[in-house]
Amino acid sequence: MDKDLENIKTTLDVVCGKWKAVVLYKLTSGTLRFGEIKKQIPLIKHQTLIKQLKELEEDGLINRKSYPEVPPKVEYSLTDYGRDLEYLLTHLVEWGNEHNRLSYRAEKELEET
Amino acid sequence: MDKDLENIKTTLDVVCGKWKAVVLYKLTSGTLRFGEIKKQIPLIKHQTLIKQLKELEEDGLINRKSYPEVPPKVEYSLTDYGRDLEYLLTHLVEWGNEHNRLSYRAEKELEET
DNA sequence: TAAAGTGGTATATTTTAATATACCAAGGAG
DNA sequence: CTCCTTGGTATATTAAAATATACCACTTTA
Protein backbone atom coordinates (compact mmCIF):
# COMPACT_ATOMS: atom_id res chain seq x y z
CA MET A 1 0.00 0.00 0.00
CA ASP A 2 1.61 3.18 -1.16
CA LYS A 3 -0.06 5.96 0.77
CA ASP A 4 1.90 8.78 -0.87
CA LEU A 5 0.73 7.64 -4.25
CA GLU A 6 -2.89 7.63 -3.13
CA ASN A 7 -2.52 11.06 -1.58
CA ILE A 8 -1.10 12.56 -4.73
CA LYS A 9 -3.89 11.04 -6.77
CA THR A 10 -6.47 12.42 -4.39
CA THR A 11 -5.16 15.94 -4.74
CA LEU A 12 -4.60 15.82 -8.46
CA ASP A 13 -7.98 14.36 -9.11
CA VAL A 14 -9.56 17.32 -7.45
CA VAL A 15 -7.43 19.97 -9.09
CA CYS A 16 -6.62 18.71 -12.57
CA GLY A 17 -9.67 19.57 -14.58
CA LYS A 18 -8.70 21.84 -17.42
CA TRP A 19 -9.47 25.00 -15.45
CA LYS A 20 -10.28 23.75 -11.97
CA ALA A 21 -7.21 25.12 -10.29
CA VAL A 22 -7.73 28.46 -11.97
CA VAL A 23 -11.32 28.60 -10.80
CA LEU A 24 -10.30 27.74 -7.27
CA TYR A 25 -7.59 30.36 -7.39
CA LYS A 26 -10.03 33.02 -8.48
CA LEU A 27 -12.29 32.04 -5.60
CA THR A 28 -9.54 32.53 -3.06
CA SER A 29 -10.16 36.27 -3.45
CA GLY A 30 -13.77 35.83 -2.44
CA THR A 31 -17.21 34.81 -3.57
CA LEU A 32 -17.96 35.09 -7.26
CA ARG A 33 -21.03 34.74 -9.39
CA PHE A 34 -21.06 32.26 -12.24
CA GLY A 35 -20.83 35.02 -14.82
CA GLU A 36 -17.97 36.72 -13.03
CA ILE A 37 -15.90 33.55 -13.07
CA LYS A 38 -16.60 33.16 -16.75
CA LYS A 39 -15.54 36.72 -17.39
CA GLN A 40 -12.31 36.29 -15.46
CA ILE A 41 -11.37 33.16 -17.40
CA PRO A 42 -12.14 34.20 -20.95
CA LEU A 43 -10.93 31.00 -22.59
CA ILE A 44 -13.17 28.69 -20.62
CA LYS A 45 -16.25 27.40 -22.37
CA HIS A 46 -19.68 27.68 -20.88
CA GLN A 47 -20.29 23.95 -20.63
CA THR A 48 -16.84 23.25 -19.33
CA LEU A 49 -17.21 25.75 -16.52
CA ILE A 50 -20.56 24.32 -15.53
CA LYS A 51 -19.21 20.79 -15.39
CA GLN A 52 -16.10 21.71 -13.46
CA LEU A 53 -18.05 23.74 -10.93
CA LYS A 54 -20.37 20.80 -10.41
CA GLU A 55 -17.46 18.45 -9.84
CA LEU A 56 -15.76 20.87 -7.47
CA GLU A 57 -19.00 21.05 -5.54
CA GLU A 58 -19.36 17.27 -5.46
CA ASP A 59 -15.84 17.02 -4.14
CA GLY A 60 -16.71 19.46 -1.40
CA LEU A 61 -14.31 22.20 -2.42
CA ILE A 62 -16.82 24.91 -3.21
CA ASN A 63 -20.24 26.06 -2.07
CA ARG A 64 -22.99 26.85 -4.47
CA LYS A 65 -25.60 29.34 -3.33
CA SER A 66 -28.53 29.90 -5.60
CA TYR A 67 -30.85 32.85 -5.13
CA PRO A 68 -34.50 32.42 -6.15
CA GLU A 69 -34.46 35.37 -8.50
CA VAL A 70 -35.02 35.97 -12.12
CA PRO A 71 -32.72 36.19 -13.91
CA PRO A 72 -30.97 33.62 -11.75
CA LYS A 73 -28.11 34.53 -9.45
CA VAL A 74 -25.69 31.89 -8.28
CA GLU A 75 -22.69 32.49 -6.09
CA TYR A 76 -19.71 30.26 -5.66
CA SER A 77 -17.27 30.30 -2.78
CA LEU A 78 -14.62 28.07 -1.27
CA THR A 79 -15.49 25.68 1.53
CA ASP A 80 -13.02 25.27 4.39
CA TYR A 81 -12.01 22.09 2.70
CA GLY A 82 -11.26 24.02 -0.46
CA ARG A 83 -9.62 26.86 1.36
CA ASP A 84 -6.97 24.40 2.52
CA LEU A 85 -5.87 24.30 -1.10
CA GLU A 86 -5.00 27.97 -1.09
CA TYR A 87 -1.41 27.37 -0.12
CA LEU A 88 -1.00 24.77 -2.85
CA LEU A 89 -2.54 27.07 -5.41
CA THR A 90 -0.12 29.86 -4.69
CA HIS A 91 2.67 27.38 -5.27
CA LEU A 92 1.21 26.42 -8.60
CA VAL A 93 1.34 30.09 -9.51
CA GLU A 94 4.85 30.51 -8.15
CA TRP A 95 6.41 27.58 -9.94
CA GLY A 96 4.80 28.63 -13.17
CA ASN A 97 6.08 32.12 -12.63
CA GLU A 98 9.64 31.07 -11.92
CA HIS A 99 9.65 28.72 -14.87
CA ASN A 100 7.79 30.94 -17.19
CA ARG A 101 9.05 29.16 -20.22
CA LEU A 102 5.71 27.64 -21.10
CA SER A 103 5.68 23.94 -21.69
CA TYR A 104 5.41 22.80 -25.24
CA ARG A 105 1.80 21.79 -24.76
CA ALA A 106 0.65 24.74 -22.66
CA GLU A 107 2.03 27.10 -25.25
CA LYS A 108 0.25 25.38 -28.07
CA GLU A 109 -3.00 25.70 -26.23
CA LEU A 110 -2.79 29.30 -25.09
CA GLU A 111 -1.53 30.75 -28.35
CA GLU A 112 -5.08 30.68 -29.71
CA THR A 113 -5.90 33.57 -27.42
CA MET B 1 -3.37 39.59 -19.62
CA ASP B 2 -3.81 37.39 -16.60
CA LYS B 3 -0.38 36.21 -15.60
CA ASP B 4 -1.55 34.11 -12.67
CA LEU B 5 -3.80 32.17 -14.96
CA GLU B 6 -0.94 31.46 -17.34
CA ASN B 7 1.34 30.44 -14.52
CA ILE B 8 -1.13 27.97 -13.14
CA LYS B 9 -1.66 26.49 -16.59
CA THR B 10 2.07 26.14 -17.06
CA THR B 11 2.48 24.19 -13.86
CA LEU B 12 -0.57 22.03 -14.28
CA ASP B 13 0.28 21.18 -17.82
CA VAL B 14 3.56 19.79 -16.68
CA VAL B 15 2.22 17.86 -13.72
CA CYS B 16 -1.24 16.67 -14.69
CA GLY B 17 -0.63 13.60 -16.76
CA LYS B 18 -2.35 10.66 -15.14
CA TRP B 19 0.77 9.62 -13.21
CA LYS B 20 3.24 12.41 -13.88
CA ALA B 21 3.27 13.87 -10.43
CA VAL B 22 3.68 10.43 -8.94
CA VAL B 23 6.61 9.67 -11.21
CA LEU B 24 8.22 12.97 -10.31
CA TYR B 25 7.65 12.31 -6.65
CA LYS B 26 9.29 8.91 -6.88
CA LEU B 27 12.26 10.53 -8.56
CA THR B 28 12.72 13.00 -5.73
CA SER B 29 14.25 10.11 -3.80
CA GLY B 30 16.88 9.63 -6.48
CA THR B 31 17.62 8.14 -9.86
CA LEU B 32 15.47 5.23 -10.97
CA ARG B 33 15.54 2.81 -13.86
CA PHE B 34 12.52 2.50 -16.11
CA GLY B 35 11.62 -0.86 -14.63
CA GLU B 36 11.96 0.39 -11.10
CA ILE B 37 9.52 3.20 -11.71
CA LYS B 38 7.09 0.74 -13.21
CA LYS B 39 7.40 -1.54 -10.21
CA GLN B 40 6.81 1.31 -7.79
CA ILE B 41 3.65 2.38 -9.58
CA PRO B 42 1.92 -0.92 -10.17
CA LEU B 43 -1.21 0.50 -11.76
CA ILE B 44 0.59 2.40 -14.48
CA LYS B 45 0.53 0.86 -17.92
CA HIS B 46 3.71 0.29 -19.91
CA GLN B 47 2.76 2.60 -22.76
CA THR B 48 1.45 5.27 -20.48
CA LEU B 49 4.67 5.37 -18.51
CA ILE B 50 6.73 5.61 -21.67
CA LYS B 51 4.67 8.49 -22.99
CA GLN B 52 4.68 10.42 -19.76
CA LEU B 53 8.40 10.01 -19.31
CA LYS B 54 8.92 11.31 -22.80
CA GLU B 55 6.77 14.35 -22.14
CA LEU B 56 8.46 15.04 -18.83
CA GLU B 57 11.76 14.90 -20.64
CA GLU B 58 10.53 17.23 -23.40
CA ASP B 59 9.39 19.65 -20.74
CA GLY B 60 12.83 19.58 -19.20
CA LEU B 61 11.82 18.10 -15.86
CA ILE B 62 13.73 14.85 -16.05
CA ASN B 63 16.97 13.52 -17.52
CA ARG B 64 17.09 10.32 -19.48
CA LYS B 65 20.39 8.46 -19.48
CA SER B 66 20.63 5.41 -21.68
CA TYR B 67 23.47 2.91 -21.30
CA PRO B 68 24.66 1.03 -24.40
CA GLU B 69 24.09 -2.37 -22.88
CA VAL B 70 21.98 -5.39 -23.60
CA PRO B 71 19.46 -5.78 -22.17
CA PRO B 72 19.00 -2.03 -22.19
CA LYS B 73 19.43 0.08 -19.11
CA VAL B 74 17.87 3.50 -18.88
CA GLU B 75 17.99 5.76 -15.88
CA TYR B 76 15.71 8.67 -15.11
CA SER B 77 16.43 11.52 -12.73
CA LEU B 78 15.16 14.99 -11.97
CA THR B 79 16.71 18.01 -13.61
CA ASP B 80 17.23 21.14 -11.52
CA TYR B 81 14.18 22.46 -13.24
CA GLY B 82 12.24 19.43 -12.07
CA ARG B 83 13.74 19.49 -8.62
CA ASP B 84 12.12 22.87 -8.12
CA LEU B 85 8.84 20.99 -8.12
CA GLU B 86 9.79 18.99 -5.06
CA TYR B 87 8.23 21.46 -2.66
CA LEU B 88 5.02 21.47 -4.64
CA LEU B 89 4.92 17.70 -4.78
CA THR B 90 5.19 17.34 -1.03
CA HIS B 91 2.22 19.66 -0.75
CA LEU B 92 0.25 17.50 -3.12
CA VAL B 93 0.95 14.59 -0.80
CA GLU B 94 0.12 16.60 2.29
CA TRP B 95 -3.19 17.93 1.13
CA GLY B 96 -4.21 14.47 -0.01
CA ASN B 97 -3.18 13.12 3.33
CA GLU B 98 -5.07 15.67 5.36
CA HIS B 99 -8.15 15.22 3.23
CA ASN B 100 -7.89 11.53 2.83
CA ARG B 101 -11.49 11.16 1.95
CA LEU B 102 -10.87 10.22 -1.63
CA SER B 103 -12.78 12.18 -4.19
CA TYR B 104 -15.64 10.45 -5.84
CA ARG B 105 -13.66 10.02 -9.02
CA ALA B 106 -10.31 9.05 -7.52
CA GLU B 107 -12.05 6.37 -5.50
CA LYS B 108 -13.76 4.91 -8.50
CA GLU B 109 -10.48 4.66 -10.28
CA LEU B 110 -8.34 3.17 -7.56
CA GLU B 111 -10.84 0.60 -6.39
CA GLU B 112 -9.94 -1.63 -9.31
CA THR B 113 -6.67 -2.41 -7.55
C1' DT C 1 19.40 -23.80 -29.10
C1' DA C 2 15.62 -21.95 -26.91
C1' DA C 3 13.99 -18.72 -23.62
C1' DA C 4 14.24 -14.70 -20.72
C1' DG C 5 15.16 -9.96 -19.81
C1' DT C 6 14.89 -4.54 -20.75
C1' DG C 7 13.16 -0.58 -22.70
C1' DG C 8 11.55 0.55 -26.15
C1' DT C 9 8.45 1.36 -31.42
C1' DA C 10 4.23 1.22 -34.13
C1' DT C 11 -0.54 0.87 -34.55
C1' DA C 12 -5.34 0.42 -33.38
C1' DT C 13 -8.87 0.88 -30.12
C1' DT C 14 -11.25 2.47 -26.09
C1' DT C 15 -12.22 5.73 -22.58
C1' DT C 16 -12.47 10.27 -20.95
C1' DA C 17 -12.62 15.21 -21.32
C1' DA C 18 -13.81 19.21 -23.74
C1' DT C 19 -16.65 21.62 -27.00
C1' DA C 20 -20.62 22.90 -29.93
C1' DT C 21 -25.43 23.60 -30.45
C1' DA C 22 -30.04 24.19 -29.24
C1' DC C 23 -33.24 25.14 -25.83
C1' DC C 24 -35.47 26.80 -21.23
C1' DA C 25 -37.60 29.81 -17.22
C1' DA C 26 -39.74 34.10 -15.90
C1' DG C 27 -39.34 38.89 -14.66
C1' DG C 28 -37.99 43.68 -16.24
C1' DA C 29 -37.00 47.09 -19.90
C1' DG C 30 -38.35 49.08 -24.09
C1' DC D 1 -46.03 42.02 -26.66
C1' DT D 2 -41.20 41.07 -27.50
C1' DC D 3 -36.56 40.85 -26.33
C1' DC D 4 -32.91 40.48 -23.06
C1' DT D 5 -30.95 38.61 -19.00
C1' DT D 6 -28.61 34.48 -16.13
C1' DG D 7 -27.41 30.06 -15.15
C1' DG D 8 -28.53 26.41 -16.29
C1' DT D 9 -30.24 21.22 -19.05
C1' DA D 10 -29.88 17.83 -22.75
C1' DT D 11 -27.65 15.94 -26.48
C1' DA D 12 -24.26 15.17 -30.03
C1' DT D 13 -19.76 15.64 -31.62
C1' DT D 14 -14.77 16.25 -31.49
C1' DA D 15 -10.34 16.03 -29.52
C1' DA D 16 -7.18 14.14 -26.33
C1' DA D 17 -5.48 10.75 -23.20
C1' DA D 18 -4.97 6.12 -21.88
C1' DT D 19 -4.83 1.28 -22.99
C1' DA D 20 -4.20 -3.04 -25.60
C1' DT D 21 -1.61 -5.74 -28.67
C1' DA D 22 2.10 -7.17 -31.35
C1' DC D 23 6.74 -6.82 -32.35
C1' DC D 24 11.99 -5.78 -31.87
C1' DA D 25 17.30 -5.96 -30.50
C1' DC D 26 21.03 -8.58 -28.44
C1' DT D 27 23.18 -10.84 -24.74
C1' DT D 28 23.06 -14.10 -21.06
C1' DT D 29 21.37 -18.09 -18.86
C1' DA D 30 19.71 -22.71 -18.75
Side-chain angles (χ1 to χ4, degrees), chain A:
Chain A
M1 176 191 80
D2 189 333
K3 197 67 178 130
D4 285 345
L5 187 152
E6 274 187 31
N7 288 335
I8 291 182
K9 292 296 278 181
T10 298
T11 310
L12 287 188
D13 219 73
V14 132
V15 147
C16 275
K18 187 164 184 181
W19 299 98
K20 278 185 190 176
V22 175
V23 170
L24 291 170
Y25 185 73
K26 294 295 182 189
L27 289 176
T28 60
S29 310
T31 300
L32 289 173
R33 292 186 60 174
F34 178 86
E36 293 173 324
I37 300 175
K38 211 164 78 169
K39 225 169 289 171
Q40 292 195 25
I41 310 175
L43 289 173
I44 202 172
K45 294 305 182 295
H46 187 74
Q47 281 313 313
T48 306
L49 179 55
I50 286 175
K51 202 193 299 176
Q52 307 220 339
L53 286 171
K54 195 187 290 180
E55 291 184 359
L56 288 172
E57 195 197 354
E58 283 173 8
D59 285 338
L61 300 178
I62 61 175
N63 289 125
R64 177 181 182 282
K65 181 169 185 184
S66 172
Y67 296 83
E69 301 174 9
V70 168
K73 173 180 177 184
V74 181
E75 288 181 343
Y76 290 92
S77 59
L78 292 181
T79 60
D80 293 343
Y81 198 70
R83 197 164 298 282
D84 287 348
L85 273 173
E86 205 167 333
Y87 193 54
L88 181 73
L89 293 169
T90 64
H91 278 94
L92 288 178
V93 177
E94 272 175 31
W95 190 91
N97 188 42
E98 287 161 19
H99 305 78
N100 50 8
R101 166 171 79 75
L102 283 177
S103 83
Y104 171 70
R105 283 178 309 291
E107 195 171 72
K108 215 169 59 178
E109 192 202 332
L110 288 175
E111 75 191 2
E112 302 154 13
T113 316

